Amino acid sequence: MKPCSETVLSIPGRLQPVYLLCLCLLLPGCGLWGYFSSDPQPTSVSRSDSTSHSTTVTRDGIGDSSDLAELEMFLLQQSPALEPFKETLGSREAGQVESWLPGARVLDSAASGGDRGALLPGDRSVAVDWRPSSLFDGEAQQRQRDARQSIAQARLRQAQGKLLRLLREEWAELWYQQQASQLTMAALKDLNADLNADLNADLNADLNQKLSDSSEEASAEGSIQRVALRSRWNDRLEGFAEEVVRTQIRINALLGRSARSILPQPLDSGDLRFGEVDGLSDRRLHPRLILAEQEVVLASAQLEQEQSSDWPEWVIGARSSYDVDASVAGSAGRGDAWMVTLGVEFPLGLQPGEQRLNAAQNQLGSARARQILSRRSIDDEIAAARAQLLASHEAIDTLENQVITPFEEVRAKWSAVAATDQGESRLRIVEKLLDARIGWLRAVSDRARARVSLVDLLGLERHGFRGVLSHLR
């Protein structure tokens, strides 16, 4: 019989570094059958144990000893994706200064910076336009300012919640990929051990010529099946490695870091702190609903402002300009060349007030329609997240009780049977058991995704200690 030493020892070139790393990191096993006798859930590793040998930290403070809470805090404080929303909120807060004349519109070329029209350097122009009807607009304008401020805050909260949700979903995906990779690597190690044992048995049989032809044929067939299984698992392991890299790149992109920056290894799927959300029926307003509600308030205030006064659409204006080259002298004999122009605008034809009133009515109708659609959208997304959560729980229970446990019982019955007598059935069960364990990891990852979606959709996010949600009640 042809020796299969070349088949056993051949490893794809792209996988050799990964395979050598696996041999260094994993504990010695005692065959595939013994590996799968452990508990179906991956063993938790304490943070102190996992970081005792490695405390690498980058300049931004995120390293292999960090956790998801630190990533969330980093995201809320330093993510460039939130900067536009923070700038908008800051500009609205800084711009809330009462005008010296309520309802007046003031244009000052000195305050506009470089936008000075055709004025030469040193020139200045100040223009004031005021509608008499604006005397009665103070309350409505205050409501508009408050609504705009609430809209800016809601947009910031909505962006924060969306980014946190994406980060947590990617974290759950990274946990699944790394755990599944570790399971596959351990199974490959035990499979290679079995192949080496088969090789030694075949060599001894060839030397001693004590085995029958049927036994030799069965042994050769088992070795071929193991080689084929190893090839499939190698391909799967390579796929997991590529997915891990892509997920890490996406997480770093969310955080605004370079693609290859150091990230911690997830020790859990990241949803254990949100377990209470499974049976939680209460909900708060989602930022998206707050945004739609404040848009209705803003549109209502604008409509009220247009309907509040019957004054004519007169505009009283004044324009003053300073020209350093003008020959006009002031009354005191100084050379201040200020020119002041006063005027009143009388609207002709279609009244601008009617146009603004029609626009305000249309805007209010659109805002109310968006509010209804936002409520329906949130309700549909909540229903979908709850359905995913229920399906994940069912998948976890089914895999644990109806798949993994029966396979473990079969293993216990066959523990006394020699490996050479188990043949193809043993390999099939081993492969199905690995698939069931990886499926269990996927179900747990899907459960985490559903939980973090509900945390966002139910409006439960509160930035407490370390920047994460600490209490759901």
Side-chain angles (χ1 to χ4, degrees), residues 148-186:
R148 291 191 181 97
Q149 181 70 15
S150 299
I151 287 174
Q153 293 175 348
R155 285 175 176 167
L156 176 60
R157 281 190 54 199
Q158 182 181 5
Q160 290 174 336
K162 184 182 296 185
L163 290 180
L164 283 175
R165 176 176 171 178
L166 289 175
L167 174 62
R168 291 164 179 167
E169 289 178 348
E170 294 294 349
W171 181 268
E173 184 67 16
L174 182 62
W175 173 83
Y176 158 74
Q177 293 164 355
Q178 291 185 347
Q179 292 291 330
S181 179
Q182 291 178 6
L183 279 178
T184 306
M185 286 190 296

Side-chain angles (χ1 to χ4, degrees), residues 47 50-51 56 58 61-71 171 174-175 178 244 248 251-252 255 257 261-267:
R47 176 64 62 182
S50 63
T51 60
T56 304
T58 58
I62 300 298
D64 52 9
S65 61
S66 303
D67 55 14
L68 179 57
E70 294 177 8
L71 295 184
W171 181 268
L174 182 62
W175 173 83
Q178 291 185 347
V244 165
Q248 290 175 340
I251 291 177
N252 281 319
L255 299 175
R257 309 168 76 220
S261 297
I262 297 175
L263 283 174
Q265 180 176 356
L267 301 182

Side-chain angles (χ1 to χ4, degrees), residues 432-453:
K432 290 181 180 297
L433 189 53
L434 176 61
D435 293 340
R437 289 182 178 277
I438 294 178
W440 181 88
L441 292 174
R442 169 52 69 191
V444 173
S445 177
D446 292 341
R447 182 189 66 185
R449 288 172 171 268
R451 282 176 173 173
V452 300
S453 297

Side-chain angles (χ1 to χ4, degrees), residues 3-126:
C4 56
S5 58
E6 296 180 357
T7 304
V8 174
L9 297 178
S10 62
I11 301 174
R14 291 178 297 175
L15 201 59
Q16 286 182 358
V18 177
Y19 183 74
L20 294 177
L21 179 61
C22 299
L23 295 178
C24 297
L25 294 178
L26 295 174
L27 295 175
C30 54
L32 280 170
W33 212 242
Y35 170 75
F36 284 113
S37 64
S38 60
D39 185 76
Q41 300 185 3
T43 304
S44 300
V45 182
S46 65
R47 176 64 62 182
S48 59
D49 293 340
S50 63
T51 60
S52 59
H53 299 289
S54 179
T55 57
T56 304
V57 178
T58 58
R59 293 181 179 179
D60 53 22
I62 300 298
D64 52 9
S65 61
S66 303
D67 55 14
L68 179 57
E70 294 177 8
L71 295 184
E72 292 172 354
M73 175 66 78
F74 183 90
L75 175 69
L76 296 177
Q77 292 180 348
Q78 304 187 37
S79 174
L82 296 175
E83 291 303 321
F85 300 95
K86 294 179 180 178
E87 292 176 359
T88 301
L89 181 61
S91 63
R92 291 192 181 276
E93 292 176 349
Q96 292 189 11
V97 180
E98 289 292 337
S99 174
W100 59 275
L101 182 61
R105 186 170 63 102
V106 180
L107 300 177
D108 189 350
S109 62
S112 61
D115 187 14
R116 307 177 70 172
L119 295 178
L120 297 175
D123 295 347
R124 182 177 179 182
S125 176
V126 179

